[in-house]
Amino acid sequence: MRQILVAGNWKMNGSTASIASLLDGIKAGMDKVQGNVSVAVCPPFVYLQQVASALEGSKIAWGGQNVSSEASGAFTGEIALDMLKDFACHYVIIGHSERRSLYGESDEIVADKYAVVRAGGLKPILCVGELLEEREAGQTEAVVAKQLDAVLARNGVEALADGVIAYEPVWAIGTGKTASPEQAQEVHAFIRAKIAKQSQEVADKVQILYGGSMKPGNAADLLAKPDIDGGLIGGAALKAEDFLGICTAA
Ligand code: PGA
């Protein structure tokens, strides 16, 4: 049986003070989270040291929200994989729709980043998902397939076995609109079937998270679906009570 993962994507939110109290709150509620659920948080880079110190020895892992595809050098404002390793990150979110749409990250750049994260021994959380107009035009599967194909072509199917995919319909991110459990399951099953065409073993293993306005109130129904293996949580990850509500719904 696949492990459930609930990962918080804090985006560009928080301060030293708010993060200290958020982490205290999450740690205090972790005894209620079941054994088959792993929990992670992805803070802004500048708070990684704080998060690492606060979570060391706990059951909560942490990760970056992005990484450079380059190893080091003259890349002002970028963060290298080795730097994330320096702060004991376990995960790296890559290809989030905000990175794709606001910062122009192409499928190819995302595929390169996937390779960099794996080569460094960390777990990529690869985000895929369609825009509203793409869904309405019936292109959801084609869009998700194209995003996946770039990663498969660059990395090979085996590279997905120990990775994580997050299906995040862009129209559901931060909008309060959630894909229905059926809509989400349909795309998750599509992703798994697509991978199964190349390797059934990898398809059985890969964790596929749902992201897009997942909250304590809708998490149980989403997570009850056979191909939904957890959540990538934005807004609801910023409140300990809400985040724990999702972790315990799993
Ligand atoms: P949301 O964000 O939960 O606020 O919709 C999810 C994400 O963007 O990862």
Side-chain angles (χ1 to χ4, degrees):
M1 208 182 113
R2 286 181 297 271
Q3 182 91 7
I4 297 288
L5 170 63
V6 180
N9 172 13
W10 293 355
K11 308 193 179 182
M12 196 171 72
N13 292 296
S15 64
T16 305
S18 73
I19 287 171
S21 77
L22 176 56
L23 291 175
D24 281 348
I26 297 173
K27 283 198 288 186
M30 279 300 288
D31 54 335
K32 296 191 201 81
V33 178
Q34 286 182 2
N36 69 331
V37 179
S38 8
V39 176
V41 295
C42 298
F45 292 131
V46 291
Y47 298 112
L48 277 172
Q49 175 69 70
Q50 182 189 350
V51 168
S53 305
L55 296 184
E56 205 187 344
S58 79
K59 286 192 292 185
I60 307 163
W62 56 93
Q65 296 176 12
N66 183 25
V67 69
S68 172
S69 53
E70 303 290 339
S72 67
F75 301 100
T76 301
E78 290 291 282
I79 298 289
L81 200 272
D82 277 351
M83 297 171 185
L84 298 181
K85 286 177 80 170
D86 239 355
F87 292 93
C89 286
H90 191 71
Y91 296 98
V92 187
I93 298 171
I94 56 170
H96 189 278
S97 69
E98 286 147 22
R99 300 295 320 167
R100 292 179 191 263
S101 67
L102 301 173
Y103 301 98
E105 289 193 13
S106 64
D107 289 342
E108 288 65 37
I109 290 176
V110 175
D112 283 348
K113 291 185 176 190
Y114 195 98
V116 164
V117 174
R118 282 198 74 251
L122 272 65
K123 261 185 195 287
I125 300 178
L126 167 69
C127 301
V128 296
E130 81 288 1
L131 304 171
L132 183 59
E133 47 277 30
E134 292 167 335
R135 172 163 283 265
E136 286 174 349
Q139 294 167 347
T140 298
E141 292 186 356
V143 169
V144 169
K146 182 172 169 286
Q147 292 168 335
L148 275 178
D149 279 337
V151 174
L152 285 166
R154 169 80 171 80
N155 296 273
V157 69
E158 296 300 328
L160 291 180
D162 54 3
V164 180
I165 296 171
Y167 168 58
E168 300 207 304
V170 180
W171 48 272
I173 295 177
T175 58
K177 281 187 210 156
T178 316
S180 69
E182 293 70 31
Q183 282 174 319
Q185 165 60 25
E186 201 175 24
V187 183
H188 282 234
F190 167 76
I191 292 170
R192 206 178 297 285
K194 179 171 170 57
I195 295 167
K197 280 187 201 152
Q198 294 191 28
S199 166
Q200 185 63 50
E201 200 188 329
V202 172
D204 289 341
K205 265 195 192 162
V206 64
Q207 283 176 303
I208 310 178
L209 315 184
Y210 170 78
S213 301
M214 195 190 265
K215 304 180 196 77
N218 60 27
D221 287 343
L222 285 158
L223 294 167
K225 292 293 177 191
D227 289 298
I228 302 184
D229 307 318
L232 182 58
I233 320 299
L238 298 172
K239 270 196 188 163
E241 198 189 332
D242 290 351
F243 188 61
L244 287 165
I246 296 170
C247 297
T248 49

mmCIF file of all heavy atoms in Angstrom, residues 7-9 11 93 96-98 127 166 168-169 172-177 210-215 232-237, ligand 1:
data_model
loop_
_atom_site.group_PDB
_atom_site.id
_atom_site.type_symbol
_atom_site.label_atom_id
_atom_site.label_comp_id
_atom_site.label_asym_id
_atom_site.label_seq_id
_atom_site.Cartn_x
_atom_site.Cartn_y
_atom_site.Cartn_z
ATOM 1 N N ALA A 7 1.822 17.491 2.238
ATOM 2 C CA ALA A 7 2.921 18.458 2.197
ATOM 3 C C ALA A 7 2.355 19.870 2.139
ATOM 4 O O ALA A 7 1.468 20.157 1.342
ATOM 5 C CB ALA A 7 3.810 18.200 0.978
ATOM 6 N N GLY A 8 2.882 20.737 2.978
ATOM 7 C CA GLY A 8 2.458 22.136 2.992
ATOM 8 C C GLY A 8 3.362 22.955 2.082
ATOM 9 O O GLY A 8 4.586 22.887 2.187
ATOM 10 N N ASN A 9 2.751 23.696 1.182
ATOM 11 C CA ASN A 9 3.487 24.628 0.322
ATOM 12 C C ASN A 9 3.155 26.026 0.834
ATOM 13 O O ASN A 9 2.089 26.549 0.544
ATOM 14 C CB ASN A 9 3.039 24.437 -1.133
ATOM 15 C CG ASN A 9 3.612 25.499 -2.062
ATOM 16 O OD1 ASN A 9 4.523 26.237 -1.675
ATOM 17 N ND2 ASN A 9 3.080 25.578 -3.266
ATOM 18 N N LYS A 11 4.378 28.811 0.100
ATOM 19 C CA LYS A 11 4.545 29.885 -0.889
ATOM 20 C C LYS A 11 5.297 31.059 -0.257
ATOM 21 O O LYS A 11 6.142 30.842 0.608
ATOM 22 C CB LYS A 11 3.185 30.285 -1.472
ATOM 23 C CG LYS A 11 2.420 29.049 -1.977
ATOM 24 C CD LYS A 11 1.226 29.373 -2.833
ATOM 25 C CE LYS A 11 0.572 28.077 -3.291
ATOM 26 N NZ LYS A 11 -0.578 28.290 -4.173
ATOM 27 N N ILE A 93 9.706 20.936 -4.322
ATOM 28 C CA ILE A 93 8.582 21.138 -5.251
ATOM 29 C C ILE A 93 9.156 21.675 -6.557
ATOM 30 O O ILE A 93 9.954 22.621 -6.544
ATOM 31 C CB ILE A 93 7.581 22.175 -4.677
ATOM 32 C CG1 ILE A 93 6.975 21.674 -3.358
ATOM 33 C CG2 ILE A 93 6.481 22.482 -5.699
ATOM 34 C CD1 ILE A 93 6.146 22.735 -2.633
ATOM 35 N N HIS A 96 5.753 23.996 -10.085
ATOM 36 C CA HIS A 96 4.472 24.514 -9.600
ATOM 37 C C HIS A 96 3.882 25.450 -10.660
ATOM 38 O O HIS A 96 4.618 26.157 -11.341
ATOM 39 C CB HIS A 96 4.666 25.249 -8.274
ATOM 40 C CG HIS A 96 3.361 25.596 -7.633
ATOM 41 N ND1 HIS A 96 2.636 26.699 -7.997
ATOM 42 C CD2 HIS A 96 2.631 24.952 -6.685
ATOM 43 C CE1 HIS A 96 1.515 26.729 -7.297
ATOM 44 N NE2 HIS A 96 1.487 25.678 -6.491
ATOM 45 N N SER A 97 2.569 25.479 -10.764
ATOM 46 C CA SER A 97 1.950 26.284 -11.831
ATOM 47 C C SER A 97 2.323 27.756 -11.704
ATOM 48 O O SER A 97 2.392 28.472 -12.710
ATOM 49 C CB SER A 97 0.439 26.118 -11.827
ATOM 50 O OG SER A 97 -0.100 26.708 -10.681
ATOM 51 N N GLU A 98 2.578 28.232 -10.474
ATOM 52 C CA GLU A 98 2.993 29.629 -10.328
ATOM 53 C C GLU A 98 4.388 29.849 -10.923
ATOM 54 O O GLU A 98 4.668 30.898 -11.498
ATOM 55 C CB GLU A 98 2.919 30.044 -8.852
ATOM 56 C CG GLU A 98 1.463 30.222 -8.417
ATOM 57 C CD GLU A 98 1.167 29.864 -6.976
ATOM 58 O OE1 GLU A 98 2.083 29.858 -6.136
ATOM 59 O OE2 GLU A 98 -0.016 29.583 -6.679
ATOM 60 N N CYS A 127 4.773 19.092 -10.014
ATOM 61 C CA CYS A 127 3.399 19.586 -10.169
ATOM 62 C C CYS A 127 2.987 19.597 -11.637
ATOM 63 O O CYS A 127 3.750 20.050 -12.494
ATOM 64 C CB CYS A 127 3.285 21.004 -9.624
ATOM 65 S SG CYS A 127 3.719 21.139 -7.883
ATOM 66 N N ALA A 166 2.237 15.842 -8.118
ATOM 67 C CA ALA A 166 1.084 16.538 -7.541
ATOM 68 C C ALA A 166 0.205 17.012 -8.695
ATOM 69 O O ALA A 166 0.652 17.828 -9.516
ATOM 70 C CB ALA A 166 1.531 17.718 -6.695
ATOM 71 N N GLU A 168 -2.410 19.338 -9.775
ATOM 72 C CA GLU A 168 -2.980 20.582 -9.268
ATOM 73 C C GLU A 168 -3.695 21.312 -10.398
ATOM 74 O O GLU A 168 -3.053 22.038 -11.171
ATOM 75 C CB GLU A 168 -1.876 21.481 -8.709
ATOM 76 C CG GLU A 168 -1.087 20.850 -7.569
ATOM 77 C CD GLU A 168 -0.504 21.909 -6.648
ATOM 78 O OE1 GLU A 168 0.236 22.790 -7.135
ATOM 79 O OE2 GLU A 168 -0.801 21.877 -5.456
ATOM 80 N N PRO A 169 -5.015 21.121 -10.512
ATOM 81 C CA PRO A 169 -5.743 21.897 -11.518
ATOM 82 C C PRO A 169 -5.583 23.378 -11.193
ATOM 83 O O PRO A 169 -5.881 23.807 -10.074
ATOM 84 C CB PRO A 169 -7.190 21.433 -11.347
ATOM 85 C CG PRO A 169 -7.272 20.691 -10.059
ATOM 86 C CD PRO A 169 -5.891 20.297 -9.655
ATOM 87 N N ALA A 172 -8.144 25.501 -9.491
ATOM 88 C CA ALA A 172 -8.519 25.194 -8.107
ATOM 89 C C ALA A 172 -7.512 25.742 -7.101
ATOM 90 O O ALA A 172 -7.752 25.715 -5.895
ATOM 91 C CB ALA A 172 -8.643 23.674 -7.931
ATOM 92 N N ILE A 173 -6.382 26.270 -7.594
ATOM 93 C CA ILE A 173 -5.326 26.712 -6.683
ATOM 94 C C ILE A 173 -5.650 28.078 -6.109
ATOM 95 O O ILE A 173 -5.783 29.053 -6.850
ATOM 96 C CB ILE A 173 -3.955 26.749 -7.403
ATOM 97 C CG1 ILE A 173 -3.542 25.326 -7.812
ATOM 98 C CG2 ILE A 173 -2.897 27.380 -6.518
ATOM 99 C CD1 ILE A 173 -2.237 25.277 -8.589
ATOM 100 N N GLY A 174 -5.777 28.125 -4.796
ATOM 101 C CA GLY A 174 -5.997 29.392 -4.111
ATOM 102 C C GLY A 174 -7.324 30.055 -4.435
ATOM 103 O O GLY A 174 -7.541 31.212 -4.102
ATOM 104 N N THR A 175 -8.219 29.328 -5.074
ATOM 105 C CA THR A 175 -9.473 29.937 -5.516
ATOM 106 C C THR A 175 -10.648 29.538 -4.635
ATOM 107 O O THR A 175 -11.728 30.109 -4.757
ATOM 108 C CB THR A 175 -9.824 29.462 -6.951
ATOM 109 O OG1 THR A 175 -9.901 28.031 -6.941
ATOM 110 C CG2 THR A 175 -8.773 29.899 -7.949
ATOM 111 N N GLY A 176 -10.425 28.547 -3.766
ATOM 112 C CA GLY A 176 -11.537 28.032 -2.974
ATOM 113 C C GLY A 176 -12.349 27.007 -3.757
ATOM 114 O O GLY A 176 -13.189 26.320 -3.200
ATOM 115 N N LYS A 177 -12.126 26.921 -5.081
ATOM 116 C CA LYS A 177 -12.802 25.886 -5.883
ATOM 117 C C LYS A 177 -11.956 24.629 -5.831
ATOM 118 O O LYS A 177 -10.772 24.669 -6.151
ATOM 119 C CB LYS A 177 -12.858 26.308 -7.352
ATOM 120 C CG LYS A 177 -13.913 27.294 -7.690
ATOM 121 C CD LYS A 177 -13.928 27.471 -9.211
ATOM 122 C CE LYS A 177 -14.370 28.877 -9.543
ATOM 123 N NZ LYS A 177 -13.905 29.325 -10.837
ATOM 124 N N TYR A 210 -3.041 15.289 -4.589
ATOM 125 C CA TYR A 210 -3.942 16.290 -5.151
ATOM 126 C C TYR A 210 -3.621 17.646 -4.519
ATOM 127 O O TYR A 210 -3.364 17.726 -3.306
ATOM 128 C CB TYR A 210 -5.423 15.935 -4.878
ATOM 129 C CG TYR A 210 -6.317 17.100 -5.242
ATOM 130 C CD1 TYR A 210 -6.631 17.351 -6.571
ATOM 131 C CD2 TYR A 210 -6.769 17.998 -4.266
ATOM 132 C CE1 TYR A 210 -7.378 18.463 -6.931
ATOM 133 C CE2 TYR A 210 -7.508 19.108 -4.614
ATOM 134 C CZ TYR A 210 -7.815 19.335 -5.949
ATOM 135 O OH TYR A 210 -8.531 20.441 -6.297
ATOM 136 N N GLY A 211 -3.650 18.707 -5.309
ATOM 137 C CA GLY A 211 -3.474 20.054 -4.770
ATOM 138 C C GLY A 211 -4.465 21.000 -5.417
ATOM 139 O O GLY A 211 -4.747 20.900 -6.619
ATOM 140 N N GLY A 212 -4.985 21.926 -4.630
ATOM 141 C CA GLY A 212 -5.950 22.896 -5.142
ATOM 142 C C GLY A 212 -7.092 23.019 -4.158
ATOM 143 O O GLY A 212 -8.059 22.266 -4.230
ATOM 144 N N SER A 213 -6.911 23.953 -3.218
ATOM 145 C CA SER A 213 -7.942 24.227 -2.208
ATOM 146 C C SER A 213 -8.356 22.988 -1.423
ATOM 147 O O SER A 213 -9.530 22.803 -1.115
ATOM 148 C CB SER A 213 -9.149 24.912 -2.847
ATOM 149 O OG SER A 213 -8.755 26.134 -3.454
ATOM 150 N N MET A 214 -7.395 22.123 -1.106
ATOM 151 C CA MET A 214 -7.712 21.019 -0.189
ATOM 152 C C MET A 214 -7.778 21.585 1.229
ATOM 153 O O MET A 214 -6.948 22.388 1.622
ATOM 154 C CB MET A 214 -6.676 19.891 -0.258
ATOM 155 C CG MET A 214 -7.180 18.591 0.391
ATOM 156 S SD MET A 214 -5.915 17.311 0.588
ATOM 157 C CE MET A 214 -6.164 16.326 -0.871
ATOM 158 N N LYS A 215 -8.831 21.179 1.942
ATOM 159 C CA LYS A 215 -9.086 21.714 3.285
ATOM 160 C C LYS A 215 -9.523 20.568 4.191
ATOM 161 O O LYS A 215 -9.864 19.488 3.692
ATOM 162 C CB LYS A 215 -10.240 22.721 3.239
ATOM 163 C CG LYS A 215 -10.067 23.869 2.295
ATOM 164 C CD LYS A 215 -11.306 24.771 2.381
ATOM 165 C CE LYS A 215 -11.404 25.711 1.207
ATOM 166 N NZ LYS A 215 -11.886 25.114 -0.027
ATOM 167 N N LEU A 232 -1.022 18.323 -1.653
ATOM 168 C CA LEU A 232 -0.089 19.449 -1.602
ATOM 169 C C LEU A 232 -0.946 20.651 -1.246
ATOM 170 O O LEU A 232 -1.848 21.029 -2.009
ATOM 171 C CB LEU A 232 0.629 19.633 -2.947
ATOM 172 C CG LEU A 232 1.680 20.751 -3.008
ATOM 173 C CD1 LEU A 232 2.776 20.549 -1.962
ATOM 174 C CD2 LEU A 232 2.326 20.819 -4.394
ATOM 175 N N ILE A 233 -0.677 21.217 -0.087
ATOM 176 C CA ILE A 233 -1.614 22.151 0.525
ATOM 177 C C ILE A 233 -1.020 23.551 0.562
ATOM 178 O O ILE A 233 0.068 23.745 1.123
ATOM 179 C CB ILE A 233 -1.919 21.726 1.995
ATOM 180 C CG1 ILE A 233 -2.062 20.195 2.144
ATOM 181 C CG2 ILE A 233 -3.130 22.468 2.531
ATOM 182 C CD1 ILE A 233 -3.172 19.583 1.351
ATOM 183 N N GLY A 234 -1.722 24.517 0.007
ATOM 184 C CA GLY A 234 -1.267 25.903 0.052
ATOM 185 C C GLY A 234 -1.887 26.639 1.228
ATOM 186 O O GLY A 234 -1.421 26.543 2.363
ATOM 187 N N GLY A 235 -2.967 27.341 0.969
ATOM 188 C CA GLY A 235 -3.587 28.193 1.991
ATOM 189 C C GLY A 235 -3.837 27.497 3.325
ATOM 190 O O GLY A 235 -3.528 28.054 4.395
ATOM 191 N N ALA A 236 -4.363 26.284 3.277
ATOM 192 C CA ALA A 236 -4.708 25.593 4.528
ATOM 193 C C ALA A 236 -3.477 25.087 5.283
ATOM 194 O O ALA A 236 -3.591 24.611 6.410
ATOM 195 C CB ALA A 236 -5.666 24.431 4.234
ATOM 196 N N ALA A 237 -2.286 25.210 4.678
ATOM 197 C CA ALA A 237 -1.068 24.778 5.379
ATOM 198 C C ALA A 237 -0.523 25.879 6.283
ATOM 199 O O ALA A 237 0.433 25.663 7.025
ATOM 200 C CB ALA A 237 -0.007 24.368 4.366
HETATM 201 P P1 PGA B 1 -4.051 25.979 -2.350
HETATM 202 O O1 PGA B 1 -2.617 25.822 -3.065
HETATM 203 O O2 PGA B 1 -4.183 24.831 -1.388
HETATM 204 O O3 PGA B 1 -3.985 27.314 -1.649
HETATM 205 O O4 PGA B 1 -5.079 25.935 -3.410
HETATM 206 C C1 PGA B 1 -2.121 24.570 -3.453
HETATM 207 C C2 PGA B 1 -0.814 24.742 -4.181
HETATM 208 O O5 PGA B 1 -0.677 25.695 -4.941
HETATM 209 O O6 PGA B 1 0.130 23.940 -3.997
#
